[in-house]
Amino acid sequence: MLFIYICAFTLSWWLGLYLLGRNPHKPLLLRSGLGLLAYALALGCAALTAESPSLLLSQFYTLFIFLPALCWAGALVCLLPLPEPLRQRIDRFWLLGILPLSLITLLLAVGSGIAVVQPIGEQAPSIALQLLTILCGSPLIIGFGLAVWGWQKARPPGAVGIIVAMTIFFGLGMALLIIPLNGQVPAWAILGVGIDLGALGLTIALLDSFDEGESLRPDMARSLIAATLSALSFGSLVGLAILGTSATPAMIALLFGVVALAVTVPTIADSLQQLIDRVAFPKTPALQQARADLRESASTLPKVVIGLPLTEIDDDEFARLTRRALSHLGDLGRLAANPLTQMPVIEARLQARGAADQPLERAAELKELLAESIARLKPRNTGDFGTTDAWRYYNALYFPYVVGLRPFNRRGQEELNSTMQQARDWFATQVPERTLHNWQNAAARIVAEDLRRTLAAHGSR
């Protein structure tokens, strides 16, 4: 039984960290990753309670077993195939209403002990526990209904169907853990829910890689292999010690802690290296940046899509890749994974200036190519800034992406030249955030058409 617990824990812990490592600033990845980490911690508490029943461990188990439902409800909101304004309102309602209310109720219930779940025991679930289950599970039910309602608007096709189906299985599997059958958690239930959560996490990663225009399998396989080898190398030592003595709560806790640490280090190695560099080289930021660029180049290689026939993809997909490239204009690491770096014109420009054919060099050339295309949107002979309709597409791309202006955030942008100040004030007072987003989408299509012409002029691979 302990082996099943540790396998499910390792899978959930790794996948949660992997999703967070892809981009913790994306709500979908953040909520999905936190849900997986919470489920892993619940498994650890369940394993400890199975060996040594404890009120404190049962309270922690209660806390962690409810959190995945809340996190996945928030992730499901991000996937709803609804008009963006409606989806944002639903997301705010979940974030500012349902989530705080559920968390407060959960903490109060756990703190008072009235909703303690016993993974091993004879207790029937209390009324408070049943109410808490309904409160935490209702967002999943609502999200399921909204997803079915907006099924036909899903992109990519079928993605919402996969998420909905797995959400149902997740809800059923979680119910088996929250309300154990005959006082025990069946081994098949633990494995089933773990596999289901893994499949959900994999689906989320696939959706994100599709959105980013990246290749998922090589990068994910490398991360999984590294995490598995590390967990086996260190966890097996503690496992042998347990076999040689006895499975005491202290040894089981040590096993889970060692495995968690062994999985964490290779999965978030780049972030750890960056932290170490800041401590080791505090007075040499240039060295820190150089090492960060090298790590970024190495980590980008498995994500690059090689051999994508750019001339054969439709206009909508090409515009989506262009829009994604524009949003990553200030981050060469993420830009390097964009399939547009494989355009023949990029290779020709590298050869023209005698640069090495490296991911970051390709990203730098794509950045320059996009900046040139944006510059062609600027009205001629009318100064550096204007507010007429002729300027809106240029302003929407140039200031936020090329020069890095954050129109709706004044923090850290106190020292700006007069043109930048005018642009920031104009955005803040005259351009709603939603309008800016629409202008950027429309301008991205114009830039995509410009890139299409460049691609046609240089042929295809």
Side-chain angles (χ1 to χ4, degrees):
M1 191 67 175
L2 179 60
F3 177 75
I4 295 175
Y5 274 119
I6 200 67
C7 288
F9 171 86
T10 303
L11 173 64
S12 298
W13 191 259
W14 163 74
L15 193 51
L17 290 175
Y18 179 79
L19 292 179
L20 289 175
R22 286 189 64 84
N23 189 350
H25 301 293
K26 280 191 171 183
L28 176 61
L29 297 178
L30 176 64
R31 297 166 188 178
S32 303
L34 291 177
L36 284 162
L37 294 180
Y39 177 71
L41 292 173
L43 287 175
C45 293
L48 287 170
T49 308
E51 293 296 329
S52 178
S54 164
L55 177 62
L56 180 61
L57 286 175
S58 294
Q59 288 176 314
F60 276 115
Y61 177 83
T62 303
L63 176 64
F64 292 131
I65 202 60
F66 278 106
L67 289 179
L70 293 174
C71 292
W72 277 100
L76 188 58
V77 170
C78 298
L79 295 169
L80 292 177
L82 303 174
E84 189 63 19
L86 176 59
R87 194 197 60 78
Q88 288 181 352
R89 286 196 294 270
I90 295 174
D91 187 67
R92 283 195 295 269
F93 177 70
W94 175 84
L95 188 62
L96 302 177
I98 294 178
L99 180 62
L101 177 61
S102 300
L103 287 176
I104 292 172
T105 305
L106 178 59
L107 291 174
L108 290 176
V110 171
S112 62
I114 62 173
V116 172
V117 179
Q118 294 287 354
I120 301 294
E122 299 293 336
Q123 295 181 355
S126 65
I127 295 178
L129 175 58
Q130 294 177 10
L131 292 176
L132 191 59
T133 303
I134 294 173
L135 179 61
C136 293
S138 59
L140 281 174
I141 299 173
I142 295 172
F144 168 73
L146 290 171
V148 172
W149 178 49
W151 184 288
Q152 298 300 324
K153 300 177 182 179
R155 181 181 179 90
V160 170
I162 296 173
I163 295 297
V164 169
M166 292 188 175
T167 300
I168 296 173
F169 288 126
F170 167 67
L172 293 173
M174 191 186 67
L176 291 175
L177 294 178
I178 295 175
I179 308 174
L181 301 175
N182 300 323
Q184 292 187 349
V185 182
W188 61 266
I190 298 173
L191 281 178
V193 175
I195 292 172
D196 183 62
L197 280 173
L200 279 168
L202 176 61
T203 303
I204 297 299
L206 284 169
L207 292 173
D208 182 64
S209 65
F210 173 83
D211 186 53
E212 296 288 344
E214 299 175 350
S215 177
L216 176 66
R217 186 173 61 179
D219 181 65
M220 199 173 201
R222 182 197 63 82
S223 178
L224 177 59
I225 291 171
T228 301
L229 291 177
S230 181
L232 287 174
S233 299
F234 294 97
S236 59
L237 298 178
V238 182
L240 290 175
I242 291 177
L243 291 176
T245 55
S246 62
T248 63
M251 292 298 292
I252 293 175
L254 178 62
L255 175 61
F256 278 92
V258 168
V259 169
L261 186 60
V263 170
T264 300
V265 171
T267 306
I268 60 170
D270 289 346
S271 299
L272 291 176
Q273 286 286 343
Q274 186 175 4
L275 178 62
I276 292 172
D277 285 353
R278 288 179 181 177
V279 176
F281 316 119
K283 298 182 180 180
T284 52
L287 178 59
Q288 295 180 34
Q289 187 60 47
R291 286 174 55 83
D293 290 342
L294 290 174
R295 286 194 302 269
E296 206 164 37
S297 179
S299 63
T300 296
L301 283 173
K303 300 178 182 179
V304 177
V305 179
I306 304 296
L308 180 68
L310 294 173
T311 56
E312 297 178 11
I313 63 177
D314 58 37
D315 292 339
D316 289 340
E317 179 63 11
F318 198 91
R320 190 187 66 81
L321 292 176
T322 303
R323 180 72 174 89
R324 182 60 57 188
L326 289 170
S327 66
H328 291 159
L329 213 58
D331 188 341
L332 289 183
R334 293 190 178 278
L335 188 60
N338 194 293
L340 294 181
T341 58
Q342 304 302 311
M343 293 174 61
V345 64
I346 299 295
E347 185 173 347
R349 291 167 68 110
L350 289 175
Q351 292 175 353
R353 65 183 179 89
D357 190 354
Q358 299 292 341
L360 289 182
E361 292 289 349
R362 282 183 171 271
E365 284 299 331
L366 178 58
K367 179 179 179 178
E368 187 68 23
L369 188 66
L370 289 170
E372 293 170 4
S373 184
I374 293 172
R376 286 192 281 273
L377 297 175
K378 181 181 178 182
R380 297 293 182 262
N381 304 320
T382 53
D384 295 327
F385 175 72
T387 59
T388 63
D389 288 347
W391 282 86
R392 59 183 180 181
Y393 289 158
Y394 173 77
N395 291 343
L397 295 183
Y398 176 77
F399 290 103
Y401 295 142
V402 177
V403 301
L405 179 69
R406 290 169 291 175
F408 308 104
N409 185 359
R410 293 179 177 269
R411 185 177 301 176
Q413 300 187 96
E414 291 79 10
E415 297 182 3
L416 300 175
N417 59 39
S418 58
T419 301
M420 295 283 284
Q421 288 177 351
Q422 291 178 47
R424 184 185 64 182
D425 294 340
W426 177 70
F427 279 120
T429 59
Q430 303 296 324
V431 183
E433 195 166 352
R434 180 61 187 170
T435 299
L436 175 60
H437 181 75
N438 291 335
W439 287 355
Q440 289 173 337
N441 287 336
R445 285 192 169 275
I446 298 175
V447 173
E449 292 173 2
D450 190 33
L451 292 182
R452 279 280 203 188
R453 289 190 290 270
T454 304
L455 180 63
H458 285 78
S460 60
R461 286 181 177 273

